[in-house]
């Protein structure tokens, strides 16, 4: 066994001050980087392993999911500066050991400069060294877990065939049918399956039926940053959407009700498929279809308004990918359309049903599909990274904990979007491909776990596109629930993640 590591100390610039933080392996301290004041520039992490050792490759992933969507050509995308995160604690537990054999002790990292939003320079900040703990007895090998989560090609083919047949039928009928208000809809595939981070089984799909609405005006609801009233700048007579107006406001609830009714009626005409519409979930923007043959599959169909105008001001400092994917990519991303879905804002104990919520699921999908600084990252002949593997493991960890504590209310408000948001922030924090080598999976997964724990403890998880929004604010998720999840994740880490082998 490798000798115990000395406790490392890290510092980061938080709200203009230099504060201490602990080793990335500590349960206490990963800095929260977001969008506002300057991001900390990090030197590429030193690759773990013995000198001269070649990175361990990974077999090319299955591409059966391309049946639902053509194989994506590699592209790159786009970030702004980062907003102040919470103060970080200065003490941490003493971690020791290594999961690899005989590894030399790392030297103290040298400082790097912190760039400001316009090439200004900040204080020197050490580039944190990272270490691995000794694996707990009986710890699950992460590669074995990923292999267990790999989707079956046979199941993928069967599921995709059914989903495509139903979705294509509905889309065609909406485009050609008498319901003229939805004739202009187009298809946008989103969600974990199409992002290729779905785990366990291909039994959940998300699609958007997008409808372009030219010349709209947005009125922010209650300074939320996320929810808006939608008005038409010009509203010609005879516009089929006029029936959904409440005064000057385009009613999200009216439009969703009509959309749901049209789909519910049309599925009666789908032959050779046992499909029903599930009961409406309060506050959900989706119409959920349940298919029961050849396997049980749910498909969330969400109506989305497409706007080709400038992104709302609340997003100005969001999408912090300048150092990760580049300024040009970010600028290109922000020139793409944005979407509004009929997800209502909370108002007291109920909802403001005329509001629409911003959606950037199409950008999230591209960030995951084209995630490397190198355009060839994870291509057949390119260097393999472990970014998406880490996200799959984080999603699976939360999924398994929710199964284990199914009757506990503390976990009901947590969802995979929280995990994905935290993961994107870690990609911003460690932007280089060399910091995500496939052979460093254990280290990188632990880095993601540490960051998520820090978000739970500080009650700070910044929305990746709207940095003024805190997804872990007390009015979103209560402190007791965050403390409960934090304790369960820490217990899992200390014991080698036994929940990976449960259920």
């Amino acid at each position: 066994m490798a000798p115990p590591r000395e406790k490392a100390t890290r510092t980061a610039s938080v709200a203009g001050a230099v504060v201490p933080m602990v080793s990335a392996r500590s349960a206490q301290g990963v800095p929260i980087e977001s969008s506002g004041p300057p991001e900390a520039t990090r030197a590429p992490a030193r690759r773990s392993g013995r000198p001269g050792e070649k990175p361990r490759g990974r077999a090319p992933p299955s591409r059966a999911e391309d049946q639902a969507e053509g194989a994506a050509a590699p592209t790159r995308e786009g970030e702004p500066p980062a907003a102040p995160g919470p103060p970080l604690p200065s003490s941490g537990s003493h971690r020791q050991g290594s999961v690899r054999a005989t590894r030399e002790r790392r030297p103290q990292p040298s400082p790097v400069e912190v760039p400001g939003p316009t090439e200004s320079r900040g204080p020197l900040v050490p580039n944190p060294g990272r270490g691995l703990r000794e694996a707990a007895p009986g710890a699950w090998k992460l590669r074995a877990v990923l292999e267990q989560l790999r989707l079956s090609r046979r199941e993928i083919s069967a599921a995709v065939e059914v989903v495509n047949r139903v979705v294509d039928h509905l889309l065609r009928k909406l485009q050609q049918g008498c319901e003229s208000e939805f004739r202009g809809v187009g298809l946008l595939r989103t969600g974990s399956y199409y992002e290729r981070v779905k785990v366990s089984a291909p039994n959940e799909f998300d699609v958007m039926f997008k409808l372009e609405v030219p010349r709209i005006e947005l009125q922010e609801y209650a300074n939320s940053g996320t929810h808006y009233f939608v008005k038409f700048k010009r509203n010609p007579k005879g516009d089929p959407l006029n029936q959904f107006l409440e005064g000057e406001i385009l009613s999200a609830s009216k439009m969703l009700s009509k959309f749901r009714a049209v789909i519910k009626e049309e599925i009666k005409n789908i032959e050779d498929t046992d499909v029903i519409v599930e009961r409406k979930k309060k506050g959900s923007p989706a119409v959920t279809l349940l298919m029961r043959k050849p396997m049980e599959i749910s498909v969330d169909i969400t109506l989305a308004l497409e706007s080709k105008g400038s992104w709302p001001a609340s997003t100005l400092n969001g999408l912090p990918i300048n150092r990760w994917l580049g300024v040009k990519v970010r600028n290109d991303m922000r020139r793409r359309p944005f979407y509004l879905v009929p997800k209502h804002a909370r108002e007291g104990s109920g909802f403001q049903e005329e509001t629409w919520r911003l959606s950037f699921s199409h950008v999230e999908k591209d960030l995951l599909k084209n995630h490397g600084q190198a355009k060839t990252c994870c291509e057949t002949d390119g260097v393999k990274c472990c970014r998406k593997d880490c996200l799959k493991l984080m999603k699976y960890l939360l999924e398994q904990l929710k199964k284990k504590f199914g009757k506990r209310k503390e976990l009901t408000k947590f969802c995979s979007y929280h995990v994905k948001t935290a993961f994107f922030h870690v990609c911003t924090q460690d932007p280089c491909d060399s910091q995500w080598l496939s052979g460093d999976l254990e280290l990188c997964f632990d880095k993601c776990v540490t960051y998520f724990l820090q978000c739970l403890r500080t009650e700070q998880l910044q929305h990746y596109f709207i940095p003024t929004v805190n997804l872990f604010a007390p009015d979103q998720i209560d402190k007791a629930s965050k403390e409960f999840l934090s304790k369960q994740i820490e217990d899992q880490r200390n014991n080698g993640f036994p929940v990976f082998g449960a259920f």
Side-chain angles (χ1 to χ4, degrees):
M1 181 182 298
R5 293 191 187 283
E6 297 177 356
K7 181 171 20 178
T9 304
R10 302 168 64 181
T11 64
S13 174
V14 178
V18 176
V19 298
M21 84 190 160
V22 300
S23 164
R25 283 299 299 139
S26 164
Q28 302 284 338
V30 172
I32 294 184
E33 176 179 352
S34 45
S35 5
E39 299 173 41
T41 300
R42 297 175 184 268
R46 176 180 167 183
R47 170 176 200 282
S48 56
R50 292 184 291 277
E53 182 183 58
K54 294 183 179 180
R56 286 179 287 176
R58 200 174 56 191
S62 168
R63 296 300 183 197
E65 57 265 46
D66 289 337
Q67 295 178 56
E69 184 173 63
T75 57
R76 289 162 53 93
E77 314 93 296
E79 145 187 348
L88 301 176
S90 58
S91 62
S93 59
H94 185 73
R95 307 281 185 196
Q96 61 178 333
S98 169
V99 295
R100 300 193 183 185
T102 49
R103 191 176 300 187
E104 61 193 13
R105 185 168 296 168
R106 297 179 186 271
Q108 191 68 18
S110 58
V112 294
E113 288 187 285
V114 179
T118 56
E119 303 301 324
S120 60
R121 297 295 178 187
L124 294 179
V125 178
N127 180 35
R130 296 175 294 190
L132 284 169
R133 290 184 305 187
E134 180 180 358
W140 274 80
K141 298 298 183 183
L142 298 184
R143 287 290 171 201
V145 176
L146 288 169
E147 188 61 32
Q148 171 184 303
L149 298 180
R150 187 184 295 275
L151 301 182
S152 158
R153 294 180 66 91
R154 181 181 57 79
E155 287 184 340
I156 289 173
S157 297
V160 166
E161 181 183 355
V162 174
V163 171
N164 283 351
R165 183 168 66 247
V166 171
V167 169
D168 290 346
H169 175 96
L170 292 173
L171 187 65
R172 187 169 57 254
K173 291 299 181 180
L174 284 170
Q175 291 171 338
Q176 300 173 357
C178 59
E179 305 294 344
S180 58
E181 61 269 32
F182 299 122
R183 276 186 182 173
V185 294
L187 180 62
L188 185 65
R189 293 183 171 98
T190 60
S192 60
Y193 175 79
Y194 299 106
E195 292 167 347
R196 296 173 186 172
V197 290
K198 185 77 179 75
V199 297
S200 302
N203 57 358
E204 293 177 349
F205 293 78
D206 299 274
V207 296
M208 281 185 176
F209 281 8
K210 58 181 182 177
L211 182 66
E212 184 179 355
V213 281
R215 299 184 61 79
I216 58 172
E217 177 185 336
L218 299 183
Q219 179 183 330
E220 187 174 353
Y221 172 75
N223 296 316
S224 64
T226 54
H227 289 83
Y228 292 82
F229 294 113
V230 175
K231 299 179 180 180
F232 292 110
K233 289 183 179 179
R234 286 168 39 184
N235 188 21
K237 291 182 179 179
D239 189 321
L241 297 183
N242 285 348
Q243 63 180 295
F244 304 124
L245 292 178
E246 282 287 343
E248 296 182 334
I249 303 295
L250 182 63
S251 170
S253 59
K254 280 187 175 182
M255 205 161 175
L256 176 57
S257 294
K258 183 60 178 292
F259 182 69
R260 181 181 181 85
V262 172
I263 289 181
K264 194 171 184 179
E265 186 64 28
E266 188 54 46
I267 64 167
K268 297 175 182 177
N269 300 321
I270 300 177
E271 300 176 354
D272 303 324
T273 303
D274 183 8
V275 55
I276 61 171
V277 176
E278 287 196 333
R279 179 173 296 183
K280 188 180 187 306
K281 299 172 187 173
K282 191 173 182 181
S284 171
V287 178
T288 303
L289 306 182
L290 182 63
M291 305 171 195
R292 292 175 285 202
K293 290 181 181 179
M295 57 187 292
E296 190 166 288
I297 303 169
S298 70
V299 180
D300 281 349
I301 302 178
T302 303
L303 176 67
L305 305 181
E306 180 183 71
S307 174
K308 294 183 178 178
S310 299
W311 288 17
S314 62
T315 68
L316 185 61
N317 291 322
L319 192 58
I321 60 174
N322 284 350
R323 291 191 304 117
W324 173 18
L325 299 174
V327 176
K328 181 181 181 299
V329 172
R330 180 178 184 271
N331 291 339
D332 289 343
M333 281 286 174
R334 288 183 56 83
R335 283 192 283 267
R336 296 181 60 186
F338 66 91
Y339 295 91
L340 295 144
V341 298
K343 172 75 173 177
H344 313 313
R346 285 197 170 274
E347 190 173 68
S349 59
F351 295 92
Q352 169 46 263
E353 295 191 343
E354 312 312 325
T355 54
W356 300 78
R357 190 190 68 185
L358 292 175
S359 172
F360 299 97
S361 56
H362 60 307
V363 180
E364 295 164 7
K365 173 183 167 183
D366 285 346
L367 288 175
L368 289 171
K369 291 182 75 171
N370 306 288
H371 51 258
Q373 285 188 324
K375 291 184 178 180
T376 57
C377 181
C378 289
E379 289 188 353
T380 303
D381 297 326
V383 175
K384 306 298 186 293
C385 82
C386 63
R387 287 181 180 92
K388 289 171 74 171
D389 286 341
C390 288
L391 178 55
K392 288 180 183 179
L393 290 167
M394 288 296 296
K395 284 163 58 76
Y396 189 54
L397 175 60
L398 179 60
E399 180 182 298
Q400 291 294 86
L401 287 174
K402 293 185 83 165
K403 286 181 181 177
K404 180 178 180 180
F405 299 100
K407 296 182 180 179
R408 297 289 298 260
K409 66 177 182 178
E410 289 91 343
L411 297 183
T412 56
K413 291 187 178 179
F414 293 102
C415 62
S416 62
Y417 191 75
H418 295 129
V419 168
K420 182 163 69 171
T421 299
F423 167 77
F424 281 143
H425 282 298
V426 181
C427 290
T428 291
Q429 170 187 287
D430 288 349
C432 301
D433 293 347
S434 59
Q435 293 169 303
W436 297 89
L437 294 176
S438 179
D440 288 340
L441 175 62
E442 290 84 1
L443 184 149
C444 294
F445 174 60
D446 189 74
K447 171 172 60 179
C448 294
V449 171
T450 301
Y451 188 94
F452 193 68
L453 284 170
Q454 183 69 8
C455 293
L456 290 167
R457 289 173 181 146
T458 58
E459 298 188 89
Q460 291 283 335
L461 177 58
Q462 218 172 34
H463 195 291
Y464 200 66
F465 296 86
I466 310 168
T468 56
V469 174
N470 177 15
L471 300 177
F472 280 174
D475 62 336
Q476 298 291 321
I477 302 177
D478 62 276
K479 186 177 181 65
S481 294
K482 284 171 277 198
E483 289 176 344
F484 178 82
L485 179 57
S486 176
K487 180 181 184 301
Q488 299 309 320
I489 291 177
E490 188 62 54
D491 286 349
Q492 288 293 317
R493 184 163 73 167
N494 290 338
N495 291 283
F497 297 100
V499 77
F500 281 163
F503 314 107

